[in-house]
Amino acid sequence: MTSQEEPILAGLASPEDIRGLSLTQLNRLAREVRELIISVVSTNGGHLAPSLGTVELTLALLKVFDPSKDKIIWDVGHQAYAYKILTGRRDSFHTLRARGGISGFPRPVESSFDHFAVGHSSTSISAGLGMAVAGDILDKDQKVLSIIGDGSMTAGLAFEGLNQAGDLDRDLVVVLNDNEMSIAKNVGALSSFLSSNLSSRWMVRFKKDFESFMRQIPRIGDDILNYARKSEESLKNFFTPGILFEALKFNYIGPVDGHNITSLSRILEQTKTLQGPVLVHVMTRKGKGYKPAEENPTFYHGVGCFEPETGLARKKPDGECLPSYTDVFGRTLCELGEKDDSIVAITAAMPEGTGLGAFAERFPERFFDVGICEQHAVTFAAGMATQGLKPVVAIYSTFLQRSYDQVVHDVCLQNLPVTFCLDRGGIVGEDGPTHHGNFDFSYLRHIPNMICMAPKDEAELQRMLATALVHPGPVSVRYPRGVGTGADLGETAPLDMGSSEVMKEGTHGVILAIGSRVYPALEAALEMEKDGLSLRVVNARFVKPLPLQELREAAANYKGLLVVEENALAGGFGSAVLEFLADEDLLQGVRVKRLGIGDFFVEHGPPQELRQNLGLCKNGIKKAAMEFFQ
Ligand SMILES: Cc1ncc(C[n+]2csc(CCOP(=O)(O)OP(=O)(O)O)c2C)c(N)n1
Ligand SMILES: CC(=O)[C@@H](O)[C@H](O)COP(=O)(O)O
Ligand SMILES: [Mg+2]
């Protein structure tokens, strides 16, 4: 290969080397980085389209700024694969999202070039402002840049950051990476404003109002009007999306081409000379440089393994072809929605991930995508419920954490019939600690009026959804990411509140399991039966109200009770059981052991491996039971 065709990426020793590259070399480097991202994500899975869309932006950032001292903060961080590759993780990038490998999100524990741990959206501006203020107080020689997508910019937290940044007037560069996409097409008035063509309805109305106002000004009004008519083009240029950010006292630059390294670098260089908060509005294409992702950025937002040549998903192992909990939730909600037109569905920018696509198609007037605005989603639902609707808020367990006060203050305190369908409950896998849904039993069960359920399989999920929709108060139903058990579907008779289900009789002790841990517990008990240890297995179904009858039975007739959950032990289902037995003074007669997730964050990796490591799969439950009951 001639020198100009020498691979550049392989020769980079540090991000500093990027600063000396020519434009031609930078564009070649962009190609090499894209190839590596496509190759690794095709085998490991991951956030392909977002990361392909920021390759040139990343190169321009690293050409102008020094990540060893300048704080570059990626919002969500799912789009930062190029950044990881170019800041010391080229050689480990093949371990992306693998157990023990590098994370799919920036993490300071992984690299000193990662300045803030991210994964949940819209934190970068607040964090960046905090770093900018700290830099002033500590007299640090640094620049701070928050790189936030147009989807993430819809969250209230982003505006809380912008609001204070404009007020504090500290040096902070916010780069708005606008690809007009969230996971699905971006929604909301901000999104349409950002991409508004200024001959829009709004512009026409403004011009009409402007003209009638001008005519009222005696003598000079007509002159100004004539001048304005002549300079209409500049009027349009004046009304760029920047008007919103300039109203918040940001210097607005843009919109600029987010794939042109030269102009990007020049503009980023220019920001170094500006005082106070600056917003650079960058237009990019999600999935840039890989046709399948460019054509379907929603599908390629987060993908499993695929064939790079075609973009087609690699064949899933047989078990993976069963319907997922998400599919069954979406299908069941449509069936129930058919019979009850007071049911409405709400998602926070994740219609596909939560399975609401079919409902949105069938009942467009009863479906609402509020954008990445989980707090608003919950209070919006509460408002609807006060008027007699039955809102279903479909949201990942981890993302409902953002709306804790709205659940308490706006829903439970008023005892409103809002149903929270928490997908990705428990271990989610490769997305790691920011995305595991390990806490919802703990952060919901203690709220007065809240009912908490977790189904043993997708068939019971149907019944729990039906139960929730006839209950006159708040209900949460949490279920795992991924495929179900293949159970027969169709039964939607509501459950009795607090009712449990005996899966297997036994004489020696009781295993009380909930949700995704019920079948592994049953399989363990069936194996132990053969070894002479006869254990009763109960599907608890409810974290709240507890299955009290079952607990009294266990305390009265058995010596030992093993409680199994895929949730934090602290404040989880097992805690609730202990509280009840202690309060009823029933602990004298029965020993209790809890299996769940200890006081730590669970790393990323294949979900079943993580569960095995936590002792929550069949063998782990069996081992714990043998030690505990024998
Ligand atoms: C609080 C929160 N809600 C939802 C998500 C799920 N999520 C991850 S990326 C994304 C869309 C982000 O859109 P944008 O910021 O425009 O980035 P892009 O993917 O377009 O690069 C969403 C909804 C999240 N990470 N955090
Ligand atoms: C980055 C982000 O938060 C989402 O893309 C999330 O990774 C989606 O998770 P699922 O893949 O479980 O839908
Ligand atoms: Mg976007």
Side-chain angles (χ1 to χ4, degrees):
M1 262 185 173
T2 59
S3 63
Q4 69 275 12
E5 283 161 20
E6 279 296 304
I8 298 173
L9 180 57
L12 293 181
S14 84
E16 226 167 296
D17 297 346
I18 294 168
R19 268 181 253 142
L21 297 178
S22 68
L23 178 64
T24 311
Q25 289 172 315
L26 285 168
N27 284 320
R28 274 223 343 266
L29 178 55
R31 276 198 302 279
E32 291 177 30
V33 167
R34 270 197 176 88
E35 281 161 17
L36 181 57
I37 289 172
I38 293 165
S39 162
V40 169
V41 176
S42 71
T43 52
N44 295 28
H47 291 95
L48 182 69
S51 286
L52 290 176
T54 58
V55 172
E56 287 80 12
L57 172 59
T58 304
L59 285 167
L61 284 164
L62 294 174
K63 181 154 179 66
V64 175
F65 296 97
D66 172 1
S68 64
K69 68 178 182 60
D70 296 328
K71 306 294 181 281
I72 297 175
I73 305 155
W74 291 91
D75 202 283
V76 180
H78 64 315
Q79 76 289 59
Y81 292 177
Y83 182 79
K84 287 199 167 216
I85 290 167
L86 294 164
T87 55
R89 286 158 283 185
R90 172 197 59 214
D91 299 336
S92 57
F93 191 66
H94 68 283
T95 69
L96 179 73
R97 294 159 50 100
R99 187 139 174 254
I102 63 170
S103 164
F105 303 94
R107 297 185 71 195
V109 289
E110 180 181 292
S111 163
S112 60
F113 293 117
D114 292 355
H115 299 289
F116 199 68
V118 287
H120 284 199
S121 82
S122 320
T123 61
S124 63
I125 299 172
S126 303
L129 185 61
M131 292 179 197
V133 168
D136 292 345
I137 293 170
L138 302 171
D139 197 19
K140 288 191 169 191
D141 168 26
Q142 65 177 22
K143 288 292 177 193
V144 181
L145 300 102
S146 301
I147 323 297
I148 184 168
D150 55 306
S152 302
M153 188 62 97
T154 60
L157 179 55
F159 277 86
E160 292 169 26
L162 289 175
N163 183 45
Q164 195 195 12
D167 188 43
L168 285 186
D169 196 28
R170 303 303 175 96
D171 294 351
L172 171 68
V173 177
V174 174
V175 178
L176 173 57
N177 171 30
D178 186 356
N179 52 25
E180 299 187 84
M181 293 294 294
S182 186
I183 295 181
K185 191 101 183 68
N186 203 2
V187 295
L190 170 70
S191 169
S192 44
F193 181 70
L194 285 176
S195 49
S196 64
N197 53 13
L198 292 159
S199 54
S200 65
R201 205 165 22 89
W202 173 84
M203 187 64 194
V204 169
R205 197 177 63 238
F206 171 81
K207 277 171 48 182
K208 205 158 85 15
D209 297 350
F210 181 74
E211 285 177 6
S212 58
F213 171 69
M214 281 298 145
R215 283 208 186 87
Q216 289 161 31
I217 302 175
R219 290 199 311 286
I220 61 164
D222 283 337
D223 295 347
I224 295 177
L225 191 54
N226 291 333
Y227 176 73
R229 279 208 188 99
K230 282 196 209 92
S231 54
E232 180 170 328
E233 226 14 71
S234 59
L235 197 61
K236 282 190 180 176
N237 294 333
F238 172 71
F239 283 103
T240 64
I243 191 170
L244 174 73
F245 299 107
E246 285 175 350
L248 293 172
K249 297 199 238 170
F250 272 74
N251 267 312
Y252 171 84
I253 302 173
V256 296
D257 176 356
H259 299 296
N260 181 322
I261 299 175
T262 307
S263 57
L264 272 173
S265 308
R266 180 171 41 74
I267 282 164
L268 289 171
E269 199 61 58
Q270 185 193 347
T271 63
K272 286 180 161 180
T273 62
L274 296 174
Q275 305 288 315
V278 178
L279 187 129
V280 181
H281 185 184
V282 169
M283 303 305 292
T284 63
R285 179 161 191 183
K286 197 163 183 175
K288 175 83 175 173
Y290 185 61
K291 203 162 170 4
E294 288 185 354
E295 289 172 349
N296 190 346
T298 300
F299 178 81
Y300 288 91
H301 170 87
V303 282
C305 311
F306 64 92
E307 295 299 340
E309 301 69 33
T310 62
L312 296 177
R314 290 213 172 119
K315 196 172 164 341
K316 289 184 175 178
D318 292 348
E320 293 278 298
C321 298
L322 294 170
S324 67
Y325 280 86
T326 308
D327 299 335
V328 172
F329 158 71
R331 193 186 311 170
T332 310
L333 192 64
C334 284
E335 289 159 16
L336 296 171
E338 208 63 76
K339 297 175 210 151
D340 180 348
D341 58 13
S342 69
I343 293 172
V344 291
I346 298 165
T347 177
M350 304 188 80
E352 289 78 13
T354 57
L356 284 180
F359 190 94
E361 248 170 67
R362 290 260 286 273
F363 312 105
E365 74 293 346
R366 289 157 53 192
F367 166 77
F368 301 90
D369 178 354
V370 299
I372 311 181
C373 304
E374 286 84 1
Q375 293 174 310
H376 163 65
V378 174
T379 306
F380 176 56
M384 290 170 144
T386 61
Q387 303 306 302
L389 292 181
K390 292 179 188 170
V392 173
V393 179
I395 190 166
Y396 291 10
S397 164
T398 190
F399 299 139
L400 186 67
Q401 291 164 188
R402 184 158 281 184
S403 332
Y404 177 75
D405 184 52
Q406 287 70 35
V407 174
V408 175
H409 181 270
D410 300 325
V411 175
C412 292
L413 181 60
Q414 300 183 86
N415 200 15
L416 293 170
V418 176
T419 297
F420 297 97
C421 290
L422 305 186
D423 204 330
R424 278 57 171 188
I427 297 291
V428 297
E430 289 78 3
D431 273 348
T434 52
H435 284 64
H436 294 311
N438 293 345
F439 307 112
D440 56 81
F441 288 170
S442 309
Y443 74 74
L444 289 174
R445 74 170 180 92
H446 62 273
I447 310 173
N449 300 326
M450 176 61 84
I451 301 288
C452 294
M453 295 185 268
K456 68 175 187 292
D457 58 27
E458 64 277 29
E460 197 164 66
L461 169 59
Q462 293 192 300
R463 296 194 65 187
M464 288 186 173
L465 189 52
T467 305
L469 289 166
V470 296
H471 179 70
V475 177
S476 65
V477 186
R478 76 105 93 150
Y479 41 93
R481 182 178 198 272
V483 292
T485 61
D488 293 338
L489 299 174
E491 170 63 70
T492 52
L495 299 165
D496 294 336
M497 282 300 161
S499 64
S500 56
E501 175 191 24
V502 178
M503 305 292 288
K504 173 187 174 294
E505 282 301 354
T507 54
H508 212 94
V510 178
I511 302 181
L512 182 64
I514 189 154
S516 64
R517 296 305 91 201
V518 171
Y519 279 116
L522 178 61
E523 287 156 29
L526 291 171
E527 284 189 7
M528 289 185 280
E529 188 76 35
K530 292 184 206 127
D531 305 335
L533 180 57
S534 166
L535 296 173
R536 178 181 167 96
V537 178
V538 175
N539 165 23
R541 285 176 170 161
F542 290 82
V543 175
K544 181 183 179 188
L546 281 171
L548 302 183
Q549 183 51 35
E550 191 52 51
L551 292 177
R552 289 197 174 93
E553 165 96 13
N557 304 323
Y558 294 88
K559 291 276 168 275
L561 172 62
L562 178 66
V563 186
V564 192
E565 63 187 301
E566 193 172 322
N567 190 86
L569 285 169
F573 172 57
S575 297
V577 168
L578 280 173
E579 289 161 13
F580 170 74
L581 294 174
D583 294 347
E584 298 289 310
D585 199 15
L586 293 174
L587 281 174
Q588 261 69 324
V590 64
R591 295 165 52 240
V592 178
K593 178 174 180 56
R594 296 177 299 154
L595 294 183
I597 297 165
D599 186 20
F600 48 78
F601 289 103
V602 178
E603 283 310 307
H604 63 269
Q608 273 309 83
E609 264 185 52
L610 297 174
R611 292 189 185 101
Q612 272 151 17
N613 194 44
L614 290 164
L616 293 177
C617 286
K618 177 197 72 172
N619 291 337
I621 296 169
K622 181 177 174 183
K623 181 171 178 292
M626 301 283 276
E627 287 163 7
F628 178 62
F629 288 110
Q630 273 180 342

